[in-house]
């Protein structure tokens, strides 16, 4: 919190002892200052109106973070639809295209009982530990054989029937070649196949994984796909209307438009691009380039300090509603504690903002004009979103394990992915997440904040010798985009020619040198 104190941007009377936002804030001459909800909402509505007048709907961008219910996402999607906002996304360039949900989807139970599990994703032990435990149990009890494709060793590697390494950029080629082997083909044909698909490398294009999934489905046409998307309720948010229409309007496109001065109003719905986007340079330029910023959040994050208006959102446990897990299972949320300060659920904020913008958004016939509680919004989702047909309050009460939604998207069109070759002087970068990092939820927890391992680059011991530096020394890591300084570690589990670093650990940041639009990121390592 030193950055907040040093810059003097916040009135701390609006932030409680747990660093929660407890009231609304507006930018005045003295900085962000506490005000009433009516004043803050009028200011927010004015920013929306001004943005529409200055640049039209395409000049507004809406980015959602990891928190929030289905009802929250639906209300904001409805507001975006009413205003004509096309720049929207529930991911921050760190996931897979929403069309991954268009494949025939597996449940977690199906994955844990499939004859073969093809793992094309991150280190599940670090990113989705419960799923990791289910699949590890399946492997140990020999219900399933796991075929893992990864650039570096993962927590699942010791339990995999086959663990295949590939250099970033070569995943589709290696998958194609491996699945053509006789013993692999025989295994795929022996029973049910589930593909667990997630983002294994934030320094590599998501198209590499999408192309690899399609390759597996060509070899095993009856396979199902379990999307391993890490963000909380990202599947729900994408499913109820916050998915981008195409790659020209996703999170990276929105941030690019903001960086180029084409975004009049950037709405951050529990989103912190400065810490969550893999391309830190793009995020910084976007925050600086957006004319106005509206932040709706539970905690004051790094991006929040740049907002013109901040609206305090209720946290998990402070509101009711529903959520959707990665297999598409909708379950109920129950409010357990009183909301902090004057914070409100995000769906309520969206409705109030829509009403304040009048005919531009929620006209007299708009269904959200008549909602009075979260149950009304739940029923509205059930009646207006085809995939949620039947996910009523009554159905949820009768199904303690939740209700699985139907298909949301069409399967993606065939993806052709290729990456340029790597010269012998460079290393190919892998950036992935650890269980604990500088995410707001971790930083605000006194028991978790010290568990993040910190920043470093890891290389094979022989590569460390070739660089000519000692273990733990600071080195300069240079990409085509930028450079950063980090300590270097020897790690025998890292293949030669590859350098691995964990995401969002602070210190010298690996995110500074990642080009999120590139096929891969190649780096040089220089002695200081």
């Amino acid at each position: 919190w030193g950055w907040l104190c040093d810059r003097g941007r916040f009135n701390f009377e609006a932030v409680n002892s747990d660093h929660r936002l407890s009231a609304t804030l507006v930018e005045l001459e003295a900085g962000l200052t506490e005000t009433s909800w009516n004043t803050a909402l009028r200011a927010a509505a004015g920013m929306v109106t001004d943005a529409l007048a200055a640049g039209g709907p395409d000049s507004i961008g809406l980015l959602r973070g990891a928190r929030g219910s289905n009802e929250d996402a639906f209300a904001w999607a409805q507001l975006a639809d009413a205003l004509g906002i096309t720049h929207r996304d529930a991911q921050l360039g760190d996931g897979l295209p929403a069309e991954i949900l268009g494949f025939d989807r597996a449940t977690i139970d199906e994955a844990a009982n499939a004859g073969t599990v093809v793992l094309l994703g991150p280190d599940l032990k670090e990113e989705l530990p419960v799923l990791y435990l289910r699949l590890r149990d399946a492997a140990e009890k020999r219900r399933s054989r796991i075929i893992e494709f990864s650039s570096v060793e993962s927590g699942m590697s010791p339990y995999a029937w086959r663990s295949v390494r590939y250099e970033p950029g070569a995943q589709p080629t290696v998958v194609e070649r491996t699945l053509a082997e006789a013993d692999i083909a025989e295994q795929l044909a022996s029973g049910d196949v589930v593909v667990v698909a997630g983002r294994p490398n934030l320094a590599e294009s998501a198209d590499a994984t999408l192309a690899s999934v399609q390759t597996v489905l060509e070899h095993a046409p009856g396979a199902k796909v379990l999307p391993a998307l890490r963000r909380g309720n990202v599947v729900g948010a994408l499913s109820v209307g916050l998915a981008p229409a195409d790659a020209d309007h996703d999170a990276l496109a929105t941030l690019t438009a903001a960086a180029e001065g084409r975004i009049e109003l950037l709405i951050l719905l529990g989103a912190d691009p400065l810490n969550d986007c893999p391309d830190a340079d793009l995020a910084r330029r976007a925050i600086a380039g957006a004319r106005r910023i509206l932040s709706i959040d539970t905690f004051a994050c790094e991006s929040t300090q740049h907002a013109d208006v901040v609206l305090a959102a209720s946290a998990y446990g402070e509101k009711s509603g529903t959520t959707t897990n990665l297999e598409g299972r909708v379950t109920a949320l129950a409010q357990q504690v009183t909301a902090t300060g004057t914070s409100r659920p995000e769906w309520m904020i969206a409705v109030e903002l829509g009403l304040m913008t009048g005919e531009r958004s929620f006209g007299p016939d708009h269904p959200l004009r008549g909602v009075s509680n979260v149950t009304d919004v739940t029923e509205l989702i059930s009646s207006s979103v085809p995939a949620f047909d039947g996910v009523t309050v009554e159905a949820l009460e009768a199904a303690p394990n939740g209700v699985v939604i139907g298909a949301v998207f069409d399967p993606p069109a065939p993806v052709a992915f290729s990456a340029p070759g790597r010269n012998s002087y460079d290393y190919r970068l892998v950036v992935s997440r650890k269980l604990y990092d500088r995410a707001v939820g971790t930083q605000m927890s006194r028991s978790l904040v010290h568990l993040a391992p910190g920043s470093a680059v890891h290389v094979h011991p022989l590569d460390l010798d070739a660089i000519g530096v000692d273990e733990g020394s600071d080195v300069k890591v240079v990409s085509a985009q930028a450079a950063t300084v980090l300590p270097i570690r020897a790690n025998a589990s890292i293949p030669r020619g590859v350098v691995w670093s964990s995401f969002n650990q602070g210190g010298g940041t690996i995110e500074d040198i990642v080009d999120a639009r590139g096929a891969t990121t190649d780096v040089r390592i220089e002695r200081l």
Side-chain angles (χ1 to χ4, degrees):
W1 281 79
W3 52 266
L4 284 176
C5 299
D6 292 343
R7 301 190 185 193
R9 295 276 297 180
F10 279 97
N11 176 343
F12 278 87
E13 293 179 358
V15 182
N16 69 13
S17 59
D18 292 323
H19 307 308
R20 276 289 308 278
L21 287 169
S22 57
T24 60
L25 306 167
V26 296
E27 176 71 14
L28 301 176
E29 187 174 335
L32 283 166
T33 304
E34 182 177 353
T35 188
S36 68
W37 269 96
N38 283 340
T39 299
L41 284 170
R42 281 198 299 270
M47 291 196 297
V48 171
T49 302
D50 291 347
L52 291 172
D58 285 344
S59 71
I60 301 178
L62 173 60
L63 299 178
R64 180 176 179 78
R67 297 180 295 279
S69 64
N70 292 328
E71 289 73 17
D72 294 333
F74 175 76
W76 278 95
Q78 289 290 297
L79 181 58
D81 287 344
L83 295 172
I85 298 172
T86 55
H87 283 102
R88 66 176 86 172
D89 204 348
Q91 302 183 86
L92 288 170
D94 58 351
L96 295 175
E99 289 77 17
I100 192 72
L101 304 179
F103 292 119
D104 189 9
R105 197 185 317 179
T107 65
I108 295 173
D109 195 55
E110 287 174 330
N113 288 279
T116 307
V117 176
V118 180
L119 181 54
L120 302 169
D123 188 340
L124 297 181
K125 187 176 182 180
E126 299 289 347
E127 297 202 18
L128 294 166
V130 175
L131 178 59
Y132 161 77
L133 291 174
R134 293 291 304 274
L135 295 183
R136 187 187 71 177
D137 179 74
E140 288 182 324
K141 294 181 178 177
R142 299 186 179 181
R143 294 194 305 272
S144 305
R145 283 183 167 179
I146 297 174
I147 305 172
E148 176 194 53
F149 293 92
S150 61
S151 294
V152 297
E153 184 175 313
S154 77
M156 191 60 71
S157 297
Y159 308 98
W161 177 61
R162 290 282 297 274
S163 189
V164 183
R165 299 287 172 266
Y166 62 86
E167 186 173 271
Q171 185 188 39
T173 301
V174 171
V175 169
E176 175 68 49
R177 184 174 64 240
T178 302
L179 297 186
E181 296 176 9
D183 59 337
I184 301 291
E186 182 179 355
Q187 175 62 33
L188 292 176
S190 66
D192 295 338
V193 178
V194 170
V195 184
V196 178
R199 186 71 174 273
N201 181 4
L202 298 177
E204 179 184 32
S205 171
D207 284 347
T209 297
L210 201 56
S212 298
V213 172
Q214 292 173 333
T215 296
V216 176
L217 295 179
E218 290 173 1
H219 286 263
K224 293 185 176 182
V225 177
L226 180 62
L229 302 179
R230 177 179 183 268
R231 290 189 171 279
N233 201 31
V234 63
V235 172
L238 294 172
S239 300
V240 299
L242 287 183
D246 50 51
D248 293 331
H249 295 88
D250 65 8
L252 293 179
T254 301
L255 293 172
T256 299
E260 294 173 352
R262 294 185 282 114
I263 294 296
E264 293 286 329
L265 175 61
L266 183 61
I267 302 173
L268 301 180
L269 189 62
D272 182 14
L274 291 176
N275 283 303
D276 291 337
C277 179
D279 189 332
D281 176 70
L282 174 61
R284 283 192 293 267
R285 290 187 290 112
I287 293 296
R291 181 174 176 81
R292 296 285 182 87
I293 296 176
L294 169 62
S295 177
I296 300 93
D297 218 324
T298 300
F299 295 100
C301 63
E302 191 171 349
S303 299
T304 304
Q305 67 172 311
H306 300 277
D308 297 276
V309 175
V310 180
L311 305 178
S314 302
Y316 176 84
E318 296 180 349
K319 58 188 176 183
S320 301
T322 60
T323 187
T324 308
N325 76 351
L326 52 84
E327 65 182 353
R329 187 179 300 275
V330 182
T331 53
L333 300 172
Q335 182 175 349
Q336 303 293 329
V337 295
T338 302
T340 299
T342 62
S343 61
R344 300 180 181 182
E346 293 161 31
W347 70 264
M348 187 180 296
I349 297 172
V351 171
E352 291 175 339
L353 189 57
L355 293 175
M356 293 192 76
T357 51
E359 293 296 329
R360 287 181 175 271
S361 51
F362 294 168
D365 297 326
H366 197 283
L368 280 178
R369 289 187 69 92
V371 302
S372 58
N373 54 56
V374 70
T375 300
D376 292 341
V377 185
T378 305
E379 294 292 350
L380 191 56
I381 295 173
S382 177
S383 63
S384 60
V385 180
F388 284 74
D389 181 31
V391 187
T392 62
V393 173
E394 292 77 12
L396 290 168
E397 289 175 349
N401 292 325
V403 179
V404 178
I405 62 174
V408 180
F409 302 96
D410 293 329
V415 174
F417 175 81
S418 62
R422 175 178 62 87
N423 67 53
S424 59
Y425 300 101
D426 289 341
Y427 295 84
R428 193 140 280 181
L429 182 62
V430 176
V431 177
S432 56
R433 295 181 183 273
K434 299 292 285 184
L435 182 60
Y436 302 107
D437 57 21
R438 292 179 64 250
V440 170
T442 302
Q443 294 296 299
M444 296 303 107
S445 170
R446 295 182 180 90
S447 60
L448 301 179
V449 66
H450 301 297
L451 298 179
S455 296
V457 290
H458 296 246
V459 298
H460 191 277
L462 294 177
D463 283 334
L464 183 67
D465 293 340
I467 295 166
V469 296
D470 296 328
E471 168 89 11
S473 300
D474 283 346
V475 294
K476 187 177 184 180
V477 187
V478 185
S479 73
Q481 177 151 306
T484 190
V485 174
L486 290 165
I488 192 167
R489 311 287 185 197
N491 189 333
S493 69
I494 306 299
R496 296 207 64 184
V498 170
V499 57
W500 173 82
S501 186
S502 54
F503 179 74
N504 195 21
Q505 294 291 329
T509 56
I510 199 68
E511 301 86 52
D512 285 339
I513 68 173
V514 173
D515 177 5
R517 288 292 193 183
T520 57
T521 300
D522 290 347
V523 300
R524 297 192 314 276
I525 300 178
E526 301 176 353
R527 292 177 290 180
L528 294 178

